[in-house]
């Protein structure tokens, strides 16, 4: 190195002062690249995912072509954008065509109460459409059910935006029950994040509207699946961890979000020339005890013990009919802690029994508002609806007071089981009354629709709905059975009135079953209803099911095929057709019906086989079911449900080695499998080992005490071991859980004879005969 070389070098300080260094980019450019590069990669990945067609569409309606017509069908996977796939419920399968000038289109938004749970065929929307068209003059009314079970206003406002492009005349908003337990409700996020609606919207947008967000969500679900068996829909039981106290500050954020979402729905409607009708939400306060209660913080152990002592004393007095004594004891408990929801409910019940209705109502409402499992719209939600309607009048918003309507038709003005099936779902008459109130609100909101005033009595219109929807004693019985089974499970099983409620429902079931047994199902009601509305999917499908039950399978198949000619996309009809074909010995046509590319809801072969296997098993066609499950085992060799059914089929053909082999595999894959334990109990029963069988059934009962199969198995093996009282106890539990369990009543009748209790044996024998299958013709070959 020369001296000149050394002199040519500049001090570091001079280099630092220099604005740029040769060969190096400016700092601002380096920062821009650092920020932009990840963003560019994300955008590039998003573009690639969209280009290859990855992910689910985010719209509530999907375009579809059928018979040369462009239609829009509801997106069955829509709710998977908000909750995990296994917890997602599909909207009602509906179709929108171009709207005629003479058609008035009403979109209904909300959760399960608006949707029509427990059976959409008899729900609010169906009543409303029948009544509107019965009172139309120059127009026809189309009621579009855009409500979805378990969804709340964060979802509904997005559904409203999708509906707005389909020529709405009005939005009818009937929701509020899921604001806490629904997607992005208060229990899902810390207060700091939950209070920000912008953050919630960002989360929803990232997960719903980007393919990258869907990819990450699906990857998370896959990882959860690797850790254990696939989760299944549990209904309300899935939300038992979503408890929130009435003084939780997140509730105020919840009410604020709800009001803002209602405002957004109204704004969307107004921008598209539609009216908005906000409905108050009827909730069962009189005959639905709280689902969750919590003591206030800070109580000592001694205070809790005293509180419980007073409360239990009140319960004993109430049970004996001493309502004044019960109120005195409850008051002493209230002095220690007045924030326990069950206490307020018990006080209200006693006040009502004493005729003090106004005081009772205040406490019934308080009990609902204190409920820590907030499956019912509370006073804050009710207030938000009423204030929103009043504040948005200038935006075309009006109020439909369903709560007042229900109170007017309820005993003592208190909403209870006379109009409600459970906590929030109206009975058939309740849905009818809600539809009547909604029709009045629509008449006022849409004077141009020229709806006539009713010229028939309320009872005559109720009969019209019964006839049009074919709601007879048979349907009442089936609906009552659905509700009974639901109420054997949490959170209903944890209610303070649970045992009394099940007893009341059982008596109702017995009465309905007697009516059904005394009647013969005929074609006439269905044919009349179909003549009024030839395209009514629900009535047509139920008529086809009646034909199948009567052994007229060929007629059912031909009817379903004719329906599909005009509605090839209708998966409800395809499922009914597949079931009829399967029972008629036409397995391939059944699979073809389910896997046809004429519908976007089509099944893959695995899903179709699972459906057929279930059909065969339910009808006792074990050999056919076994064939289906053998094929399924080749497609998915580690599917626990398939293995359990293979074990049952092996048991039926007395191949006990195969039965044991399949069950061993089930319990290796899922050691906690209740069905695996039940069937292992059955295996040892077949091996004449009642001790080992009893042990497996005892484990099954411990794992799932609400499953009637666990109790019947334990009961039978206990009787075999000479433990008669224990056996009767568990078999009794089985028939309580499944009141139409013929075999259970037979076992109890025999056990009571063995004990010498002939009177009780006669009662069980009568129930056995009551629920014994009708002597209808068994399904056979197609005629």
């Amino acid at each position: 190195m020369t001296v000149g070389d050394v002199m040519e070098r500049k001090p570091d300080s001079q280099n630092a002062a220099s604005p740029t260094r040769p060969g190096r980019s400016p700092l601002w450019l380096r920062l821009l690249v650092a920020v932009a590069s990840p963003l560019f990669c994300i955008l590039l990945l998003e573009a690639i995912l969209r280009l290859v067609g990855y992910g689910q569409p985010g719209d509530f309606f999907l375009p579809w072509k059928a018979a040369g017509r462009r239609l829009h069908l509801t997106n069955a996977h829509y709710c998977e954008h908000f909750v995990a796939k296994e917890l997602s419920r599909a909207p009602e399968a509906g179709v929108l065509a171009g709207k005629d000038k003479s058609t008035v289109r009403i979109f209904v938004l909300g959760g399960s109460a608006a949707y029509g749970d427990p059976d959409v065929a008899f729900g609010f929307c169906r009543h409303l459409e029948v009544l509107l068209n019965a009172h139309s003059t120059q127009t026809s009314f189309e009621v579009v059910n855009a409500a979805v079970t378990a969804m709340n206003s964060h979802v509904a406002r997005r559904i409203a935006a999708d509906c707005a492009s389909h020529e709405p005349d009005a939005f009818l908003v009937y929701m509020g029950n899921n604001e806490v337990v629904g997607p992005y409700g208060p229990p899902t996020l810390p207060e700091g994040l939950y209070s920000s609606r912008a953050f919630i919207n960002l989360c929803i947008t990232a997960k719903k509207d980007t393919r990258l967000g869907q990819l990450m969500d699906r990857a998370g679900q896959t990882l959860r699946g690797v850790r254990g068996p696939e989760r299944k829909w549990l209904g309300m039981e899935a939300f038992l961890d979503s408890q929130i106290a009435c003084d939780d500050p997140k509730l105020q954020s919840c009410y604020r979000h709800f009001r803002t979402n209602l405002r957004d729905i109204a704004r969307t409607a107004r921008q598209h020339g539609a009216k908005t009708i906000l409905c108050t939400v009827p909730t069962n306060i009189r005959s639905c005890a709280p689902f969750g209660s919590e003591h206030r913080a800070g109580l000592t152990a001694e205070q809790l013990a005293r509180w419980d002592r007073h409360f239990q004393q009140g319960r004993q007095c109430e049970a004996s009919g001493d309502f004044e004594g019960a109120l005195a004891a409850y008051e002493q408990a209230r002095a220690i802690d007045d924030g326990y929801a069950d206490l307020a409910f018990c006080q209200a019940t006693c006040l009502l029994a004493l005729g003090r209705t106004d005081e009772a109502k205040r406490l019934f409402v308080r009990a609902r508002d204190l409920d820590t499992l907030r499956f019912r719209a509370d006073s804050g939600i009710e207030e938000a609806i009423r204030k929103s309607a009043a504040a948005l009048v200038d935006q075309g918003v009006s109020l439909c007071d369903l709560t007042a309507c229900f109170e007017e038709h309820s005993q003592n003005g208190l909403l209870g089981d006379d109009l409600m099936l459970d906590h929030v779902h109206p009975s058939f008459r309740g849905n009818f009354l809600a539809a009547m109130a909604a029709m009045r609100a629509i008449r006022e909101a849409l004077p141009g629709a020229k709806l006539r005033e009713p010229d028939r009595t309320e009872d005559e219109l109720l009969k019209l709905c019964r006839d049009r929807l074919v709601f007879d004693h048979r349907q009442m019985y089936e609906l009552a059975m659905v509700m009974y089974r639901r109420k054997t499970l949490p959170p209903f099983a944890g209610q303070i009135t649970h045992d009394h409620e099940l007893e009341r429902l059982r008596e109702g079931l017995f009465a309905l079953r007697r009516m059904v047994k005394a009647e013969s199902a005929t074609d006439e009601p269905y044919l009349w209803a179909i003549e009024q509305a030839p395209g009514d999917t629900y009535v047509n499908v139920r008529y086809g099911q009646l034909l199948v039950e009567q052994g007229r399978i060929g007629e059912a198949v031909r009817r379903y095929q004719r329906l599909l000619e005009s509605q090839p996309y209708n998966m409800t009809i395809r499922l009914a057709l597949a079931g009829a074909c399967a029972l008629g010995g036409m397995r391939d046509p059944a699979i073809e019906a389910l896997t046809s590319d004429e519908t976007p809801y089509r099944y893959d072969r695995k899903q179709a086989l699972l459906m057929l296997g279930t059909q065969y098993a339910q009808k006792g066609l074990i050999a056919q079911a076994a064939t289906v499950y053998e094929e399924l085992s080749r497609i998915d060799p580690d599917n626990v449900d398939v293995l359990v059914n293979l074990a049952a089929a092996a048991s039926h053909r007395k191949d006990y080695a195969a039965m044991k082999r399949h069950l061993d595999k089930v319990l290796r894959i899922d050691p906690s499998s209740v069905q695996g334990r039940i069937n292992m109990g059955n295996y040892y029963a077949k091996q004449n080992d009642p001790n080992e069988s009893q042990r497996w059934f005892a484990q099954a009962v411990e794992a799932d005490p609400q499953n009637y199969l666990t109790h019947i198995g334990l009961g039978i093996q206990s009787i075999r071991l000479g433990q008669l009282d224990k056996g009767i106890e568990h078999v009794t539990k089985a028939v309580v859980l499944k009141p139409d369990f013929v075999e259970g009543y037979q076992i109890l009748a025999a056990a009571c004879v063995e004990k010498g209790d002939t009177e009780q044996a006669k009662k069980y024998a009568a129930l056995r005969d009551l629920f014994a299958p009708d002597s209808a013709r068994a399904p056979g070959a197609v005629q």
Side-chain angles (χ1 to χ4, degrees):
M1 182 182 289
T2 64
V3 173
D5 291 330
V6 174
M7 292 180 64
E8 284 293 320
R9 295 180 64 185
K10 297 180 181 180
D12 289 343
S13 59
Q14 284 181 285
N15 286 332
S18 176
T20 61
R21 178 179 294 178
R24 190 172 184 183
S25 302
L27 178 61
W28 67 267
L29 184 59
R30 297 200 304 275
L31 290 173
L32 179 62
V33 170
V35 172
S37 294
L39 181 60
F40 175 77
C41 290
I42 290 172
L43 293 174
L44 179 62
L45 181 56
E46 176 72 13
I48 292 171
L49 290 172
R50 288 179 179 270
L51 188 64
V52 300
Y54 177 84
Q56 297 283 357
D59 295 330
F60 189 74
F61 292 103
L62 302 178
W64 192 255
K65 282 189 176 180
R69 300 173 65 205
R70 181 177 175 80
L71 308 169
H72 282 85
L73 310 181
T74 49
N75 181 355
H77 302 286
Y78 183 80
C79 293
E80 293 175 24
H81 295 301
F82 304 95
V83 295
K85 180 178 180 179
E86 61 270 17
L87 301 179
S88 173
R89 298 292 87 193
E92 181 181 11
V95 55
L96 291 179
K99 193 180 80 167
D100 295 333
K101 290 183 179 180
S102 61
T103 299
V104 176
R105 184 171 281 172
I106 312 291
F107 287 94
V108 175
L109 303 173
S112 58
Y115 169 79
D117 187 87
D119 192 335
V120 68
F122 308 116
F124 167 75
C125 295
R126 297 265 289 162
H127 283 266
L128 181 59
E129 189 166 82
V130 168
L131 290 172
L132 288 173
N133 284 302
H135 294 87
S136 64
T137 51
Q138 303 169 11
T139 57
S140 63
F141 285 84
E142 181 183 6
V143 177
V144 182
N145 189 350
V148 193
T149 297
M151 295 298 107
N152 57 19
S153 64
H154 292 302
V155 179
R157 81 175 187 87
R158 289 168 169 81
I159 294 176
D162 287 346
C163 294
S165 60
H166 295 281
E167 303 177 88
D169 291 287
F171 286 96
L172 195 146
V173 184
Y174 174 9
M175 68 180 174
N177 293 314
N178 300 324
E179 292 308 302
V180 174
V181 298
Y184 303 94
T188 62
L189 293 167
E191 166 60 18
L193 297 177
Y194 179 71
S195 63
S196 170
R197 186 166 172 269
F199 177 78
I200 292 173
N201 287 333
L202 179 63
C203 290
I204 294 175
T205 299
K207 183 178 176 183
K208 172 180 177 290
D209 297 331
T210 70
R211 298 300 188 264
L212 183 58
Q214 292 185 35
L215 176 65
M216 295 174 65
D217 182 59
R218 184 170 295 183
Q221 292 186 43
T222 301
L223 287 174
R224 289 196 297 271
V226 170
R227 296 184 191 128
E230 181 182 353
R231 291 187 295 169
K232 297 181 180 180
W233 170 253
L234 297 174
M236 292 169 63
E237 193 174 353
F239 303 96
L240 294 181
D241 294 331
S242 301
Q243 297 203 43
I244 183 167
C246 65
D247 58 354
D248 192 308
K250 286 193 284 188
L251 276 183
Q252 297 306 314
S253 297
C254 177
Y255 303 145
R256 186 176 69 253
H257 296 333
F258 183 53
R259 289 193 299 270
T260 307
N261 288 333
L262 291 179
R263 182 199 64 202
D264 287 352
I265 291 170
R267 181 184 297 134
T268 296
R270 187 184 185 193
Q271 289 171 351
H272 290 82
K275 301 290 187 179
T276 301
I277 300 170
L278 300 183
C279 299
T280 57
V281 184
T283 62
N284 185 343
I285 58 172
R286 189 187 77 234
S287 51
C288 178
F291 293 110
S293 298
E294 286 185 357
H295 287 289
R296 66 177 174 84
L299 291 178
T300 66
E302 190 273 334
Q303 286 175 311
L304 285 171
R306 281 196 294 118
W307 185 95
D308 188 63
R309 188 164 58 251
H310 295 312
F311 183 68
Q312 294 305 327
Q313 181 185 351
R315 294 283 290 157
Q316 291 171 8
C317 291
E318 184 182 343
S320 67
D322 180 7
F323 300 113
E324 292 285 7
L327 283 173
Y330 288 146
E331 180 59 29
Q332 289 181 291
R334 191 199 66 79
I336 300 170
D337 179 10
D338 68 347
Y340 201 79
D342 276 341
L343 174 60
F345 182 82
C346 290
Q347 288 177 294
T349 302
C350 291
L351 288 167
L352 181 60
L354 293 169
R356 296 157 64 179
T357 306
D358 291 341
E359 296 173 80
K361 182 175 183 178
R362 285 194 294 273
L363 280 172
F364 276 130
V365 170
R366 177 169 171 76
R368 179 198 64 191
D369 291 351
L370 287 172
D371 195 341
T372 57
L373 282 170
R374 311 183 83 81
F375 294 113
R376 295 175 287 180
D378 61 16
S379 296
I381 294 294
E382 178 97 355
E383 182 183 17
I385 294 168
R386 293 183 184 279
K387 287 189 174 180
S388 294
L392 299 171
V393 169
D394 60 342
Q395 296 188 35
V397 177
S398 57
L399 182 72
C400 177
D401 198 342
L402 296 185
T403 301
C405 169
F406 276 40
E407 287 177 344
E408 181 184 342
H409 290 82
S410 296
Q411 181 183 347
N412 297 309
L414 299 172
L415 272 66
D417 53 28
D418 39 6
L419 292 179
M420 309 295 286
L421 294 173
D422 54 14
H423 57 306
V424 295
H425 301 113
S427 63
F428 188 91
R429 182 165 176 257
N431 279 316
F432 164 77
L433 291 172
M436 286 287 288
M439 181 171 66
R440 288 192 291 271
I442 291 168
R443 184 184 298 111
E444 294 173 5
L446 300 174
K450 299 180 180 179
L451 265 173
R452 290 186 289 105
E453 290 281 349
D455 54 5
R456 284 178 274 187
T457 67
E458 194 172 276
D459 286 343
E460 289 172 332
L461 289 173
L462 177 60
K463 184 179 184 304
L464 171 67
C465 287
R466 286 185 186 278
D467 292 343
R468 280 291 310 278
L469 305 181
V470 194
F471 188 70
D472 54 18
H473 289 139
R474 178 190 175 99
Q475 304 304 325
M476 293 179 202
Y477 169 72
E478 292 180 358
L479 200 64
M481 187 62 76
V482 169
M483 294 310 302
Y484 184 93
R485 287 171 180 159
R486 181 179 295 183
K487 290 189 177 184
T488 64
L489 302 172
F492 296 102
Q495 288 180 296
I496 200 167
T497 57
H498 180 248
D499 291 343
H500 173 75
E501 175 68 1
L502 284 190
E503 184 179 354
R504 181 186 70 82
L505 290 175
R506 268 198 308 280
E507 291 303 318
L509 275 171
F510 296 160
L512 283 170
R513 179 63 181 172
R514 292 185 189 100
M515 294 178 189
V516 172
K517 292 276 280 190
E519 299 170 347
S520 57
T522 63
D523 296 9
E524 284 76 12
Y526 292 96
L527 294 175
W528 181 86
I530 290 169
E531 184 180 357
Q532 311 309 307
D536 189 319
T537 296
Y538 298 106
V539 175
N540 273 290
V541 165
R542 292 210 323 275
Y543 179 45
Q545 290 168 346
L546 175 65
L547 295 175
V548 170
E549 291 171 10
Q550 293 177 343
R552 299 155 63 187
I553 295 179
E555 288 183 57
V557 168
R558 289 188 289 273
R559 175 169 288 275
Y560 292 145
Q561 289 172 337
R562 286 196 299 272
L563 284 168
L564 279 180
E565 290 174 5
S566 59
Q567 305 177 57
Y569 47 80
N570 192 318
M571 201 62 187
T572 302
I573 299 172
R574 288 186 175 277
L575 284 165
L577 173 60
C581 286
L583 296 177
M586 299 181 290
R587 174 175 153 172
D588 289 342
I591 293 175
E592 183 181 347
L594 295 174
T595 57
S596 169
D597 60 6
E598 292 185 279
T599 172
Y601 309 127
R602 60 185 173 272
Y603 284 11
D604 59 31
R605 186 172 181 84
K606 175 183 170 181
Q607 292 171 318
L609 288 170
L610 284 169
M611 181 269 177
L612 291 185
T614 300
Q615 282 277 329
Y616 287 135
Q618 288 177 344
K619 297 296 183 181
L621 302 173
I622 305 301
Q624 294 90 326
T627 303
V628 169
Y629 286 118
E630 288 288 353
E631 182 176 346
L632 280 166
S633 70
R634 293 190 290 272
I635 297 173
D636 188 357
D638 292 332
N639 186 301
V640 167
D641 292 335
V642 171
L643 289 167
V644 165
N645 280 287
L646 284 173
S651 173
H652 183 74
R653 64 177 183 268
K654 300 183 180 180
D655 185 354
Y656 300 124
M659 181 184 184
K660 182 69 160 53
R661 186 170 63 253
H662 291 311
L663 292 176
D664 284 340
K665 187 172 182 180
V666 166
L667 293 168
R668 281 198 303 272
I669 296 170
D670 180 12
S672 64
S673 169
V674 174
Q675 287 298 320
R677 294 176 186 183
I678 290 171
N679 280 276
M680 195 63 87
N682 287 329
Y683 167 77
Y684 283 106
K686 300 285 187 182
Q687 299 300 304
N688 200 28
D689 187 348
N691 285 294
E692 187 65 12
S693 178
Q694 185 187 50
R695 186 177 72 83
W696 280 101
F697 280 119
Q699 290 182 16
V701 167
E702 184 178 0
D704 188 0
Q706 306 307 126
N707 187 326
Y708 78 98
L709 291 172
T710 65
H711 287 283
I712 191 66
L714 183 54
I716 290 172
Q717 299 312 311
S718 298
I719 292 172
R720 287 182 67 188
L721 291 168
Q723 302 164 7
L724 194 58
D725 288 340
K726 180 177 180 180
I728 290 175
E729 175 190 348
H730 283 283
V731 179
T732 301
K733 180 68 173 176
V735 297
V736 166
L737 292 169
K738 184 176 170 55
D740 60 346
F741 190 20
V742 174
E743 293 83 356
Y745 291 124
Q746 175 64 35
I747 292 167
L748 285 172
C752 288
V753 168
E754 186 175 344
K755 284 192 71 174
D757 190 347
T758 56
E759 287 303 313
Q760 192 64 34
K762 288 178 182 178
K763 291 179 182 178
Y764 285 129
L767 290 171
R768 174 202 62 202
D769 295 340
L770 177 63
F771 289 101
D774 296 328
S775 56
R777 181 175 173 180
V782 176
Q783 300 169 354

